[in-house]
Amino acid sequence: MRRVSIATTVSSGNFLPATDLESKLAILADAAKYDASCASSGSKRESRGGLGSTEGMGICHSYTPDGRCVSLLKVLLTNVCIYDCQYCVNRVSSDTPRARMSVEEVVRLTMDFYRRNYIEGLFLSSGIIRSSNYTMDQLVQVAKTLRDRENFRGYIHLKTIPGADEELIEEAGLYADRLSVNIELPTLGDLQQLAPEKKRDEIEDTMGQIKVRRDEVDADKKNGLRPPRFAPAGQSTQMIVGATPTTDRDILATSSTLYQTHRLRRVYYSAFSPIPHADSRLPGQAPPLVREHRLYQADWLIRFYGFDAGELTSDEQANLSLELDPKHAWALAHREQFPIDINLAAREMLLRVPGIGERGVKRILRTRKHHAIRDEDLSRLGIVYRRARPFIITADRHPGPLMIDRADLIEKTRPKQRQLMLFDAADSASNGQV
């Protein structure tokens, strides 16, 4: 394992030390933009501050499940790192400007921003300096100081360093709302190719420690005990997509395994960003952002719509369609299962109809207890009529035996292109519709 001290990095000429806090923030907040796993969903910690935010360095906006916008200070403790991951702009061989903040500087910055109502929480990550334990201890010290000395009740997300001692993981979970451990790349082969210093086993061991501790807390609660809170917003991970030729089929298989094995709340997919002086094995262009979007849609179907990861792709079509959302593409590829009777079909099958979301299914099940659903009811139930029509039978309409087999069904059901609105993401976050 290659380890390079900070002093060595400085003497290499690549280190441009930032001395004032503003310069450090400019460097470290910019370096943190590559980390996508900063949503604050799941936190129930009481906030003493009001809503509000302002534009500024290092502030990102996340959405809670109820659609509330939360502003986080998203920053690295340092972008100095002893590893040489080829896809990372902060790798030890990169000539990017470097900076490091002390524990006190991060604490002061967080409290100052919070008192000004710029932020409601902190997302703190770091390059690995000296060792996993040293870096993890620094992150924990920030959270501990905020909680114990400053009485900070806002949201804290700590990026957990793989390989850190169990005692440090335990302490981190007591102070943070969410912990996350980056899986880095979708497959073991990808990791061996581009980041051989990082070990998949070590990463998953750390995830396992967090899961075990959370399970213990839940068991104690069921037994009537009142254990200390441990990462109440759960754990998440992030993987870089598009740095290797790995298919969406393999990516979703990895995500599904992580959800089942480590009880993750979220897997975040971060499209690879080309970096200066990159390794020749890396692509020169970023993958289309729509690929990242399709992966999130597929991930949602796996977690909430009952799809298996293997259903959404095939050996012949190993990548998700960029033109159609994964559920729409699945329905068109499985026309033999349609049309279904909306007044008789099971919930599991209704969830597979394009244009019908989770909330729409609840409304269908509730409504059909009282009367048979007719075509005219669909819009009122929140169903996208144009997309769902060929796939369902209502009380007064049957699409006909040939409708589902018509050659132009894709064009007939394809969503119309429209200009996205600024708050579309907030709407999706609040209604959970796919």
Side-chain angles (χ1 to χ4, degrees):
M1 179 180 296
R2 183 179 184 183
R3 295 190 183 280
V4 181
S5 70
I6 296 175
T8 302
T9 310
V10 173
S11 64
S12 72
N14 295 332
F15 193 100
L16 300 177
T19 54
D20 63 281
L21 190 55
E22 185 176 355
S23 300
K24 291 179 181 179
L25 181 60
I27 293 172
L28 297 175
D30 184 68
K33 69 184 178 186
Y34 299 100
D35 209 320
S37 57
C38 61
S40 60
S41 59
S43 175
K44 295 181 180 179
R45 192 181 296 274
E46 181 184 358
S47 172
R48 295 182 179 178
L51 284 175
S53 65
T54 185
E55 296 300 323
M57 291 179 296
I59 296 178
C60 71
H61 300 99
S62 301
Y63 293 92
T64 60
D66 61 1
R68 189 171 65 100
C69 180
V70 177
S71 304
L72 300 177
L73 170 59
K74 182 179 178 182
V75 69
L76 300 185
L77 185 68
T78 178
N79 64 342
V80 175
C81 189
I82 61 176
Y83 291 125
D84 201 27
C85 306
Q86 293 305 306
Y87 48 83
C88 182
V89 71
N90 298 320
R91 67 191 186 281
V92 66
S93 60
S94 172
D95 61 355
T96 191
R98 308 284 181 170
R100 177 182 175 181
M101 284 197 282
S102 67
V103 170
E104 279 300 322
E105 285 176 323
V106 178
V107 169
R108 177 155 57 88
L109 203 59
T110 303
M111 295 307 299
D112 286 349
F113 276 19
Y114 182 75
R115 291 191 177 103
R116 289 173 170 81
N117 203 27
Y118 293 172
I119 62 166
E120 294 176 85
L122 170 68
F123 172 88
L124 184 61
S125 183
S126 179
I128 299 177
I129 40 178
R130 297 190 189 178
S131 67
S132 296
N133 279 341
Y134 175 79
T135 309
M136 193 68 225
D137 180 68
Q138 294 287 292
L139 297 175
V140 170
Q141 290 306 314
V142 171
K144 183 177 182 178
T145 306
L146 283 169
R147 296 290 192 220
D148 289 349
R149 193 185 75 191
E150 305 292 338
N151 196 28
F152 180 70
R153 307 304 297 166
Y155 181 85
I156 297 179
H157 179 157
L158 291 186
K159 184 68 70 177
T160 308
I161 309 299
D165 285 349
E166 190 171 348
E167 293 75 15
L168 288 168
I169 304 297
E170 166 80 21
E171 197 171 10
L174 296 177
Y175 296 112
D177 294 277
R178 173 168 288 189
L179 299 177
S180 59
V181 190
N182 279 357
I183 197 72
E184 304 290 351
L185 293 165
T187 68
L188 179 59
D190 294 336
L191 203 63
Q192 290 173 338
Q193 180 184 356
L194 296 179
E197 295 164 306
K198 292 189 174 177
K199 307 302 178 186
R200 184 65 168 268
D201 290 346
E202 192 173 64
I203 294 170
E204 291 211 42
D205 282 348
T206 303
M207 290 180 176
Q209 291 173 25
I210 297 172
K211 176 188 178 294
V212 167
R213 185 68 190 109
R214 294 193 70 228
D215 288 345
E216 290 174 349
V217 169
D218 290 345
D220 286 346
K221 288 180 179 177
K222 289 180 180 177
N223 292 326
L225 303 176
R226 300 182 64 182
R229 293 157 59 95
F230 182 85
Q235 66 165 322
S236 57
T237 192
Q238 171 181 322
M239 67 174 73
I240 297 169
V241 174
T244 60
T246 300
T247 65
D248 294 343
R249 187 170 179 80
D250 291 331
I251 291 170
L252 294 174
T254 296
S255 299
S256 187
T257 300
L258 292 175
Y259 280 126
Q260 295 169 14
T261 307
H262 300 298
R263 197 182 154 197
L264 299 185
R265 291 292 292 270
R266 287 289 302 273
V267 174
Y268 290 87
Y269 306 94
S270 176
F272 168 71
S273 298
I275 53 178
H277 314 301
D279 187 280
S280 60
R281 293 168 294 180
L282 292 169
Q285 290 184 329
L289 285 178
V290 68
R291 184 185 182 192
E292 184 181 287
H293 180 60
R294 295 297 182 220
L295 284 168
Y296 276 118
Q297 289 179 316
D299 185 281
W300 192 273
L301 294 177
I302 294 169
R303 288 188 293 144
F304 301 112
Y305 281 64
F307 281 83
D308 182 84
E311 290 184 275
L312 299 170
T313 56
S314 65
D315 291 334
E316 297 74 27
Q317 186 65 45
N319 287 317
L320 297 168
S321 168
L322 298 182
E323 296 184 351
L324 297 173
D325 73 71
K327 188 164 75 168
H328 197 170
W330 178 88
L332 290 170
H334 295 82
R335 303 186 192 198
E336 74 283 357
Q337 300 195 33
F338 299 99
I340 62 169
D341 191 328
I342 198 170
N343 288 295
L344 299 174
R347 175 182 181 276
E348 291 73 19
M349 200 59 206
L350 290 171
L351 283 171
R352 291 176 176 245
V353 178
I356 302 181
E358 190 179 24
R359 185 171 294 183
V361 170
K362 289 179 181 177
R363 289 169 177 163
I364 290 170
L365 297 177
R366 189 165 55 239
T367 301
R368 73 187 192 185
K369 290 180 180 177
H370 304 285
H371 65 82
I373 297 173
R374 303 169 66 86
D375 244 27
E376 63 186 17
D377 298 321
L378 297 181
S379 296
R380 182 175 53 79
L381 295 173
I383 294 170
V384 183
Y385 182 77
R386 181 170 179 270
R387 295 174 63 190
R389 185 173 181 272
F391 299 96
I392 57 174
I393 300 167
T394 58
D396 60 341
R397 185 187 57 80
H398 192 297
L402 298 179
M403 178 69 177
I404 197 68
D405 292 326
R406 57 187 297 171
D408 61 347
L409 188 59
I410 294 178
E411 294 304 322
K412 290 289 183 183
T413 56
R414 188 194 302 274
K416 293 181 179 178
Q417 299 295 323
R418 65 185 179 87
Q419 175 65 51
L420 292 176
M421 302 301 291
L422 179 62
F423 295 106
D424 277 0
D427 186 55
S428 298
S430 63
N431 61 32
Q433 301 292 297
V434 173

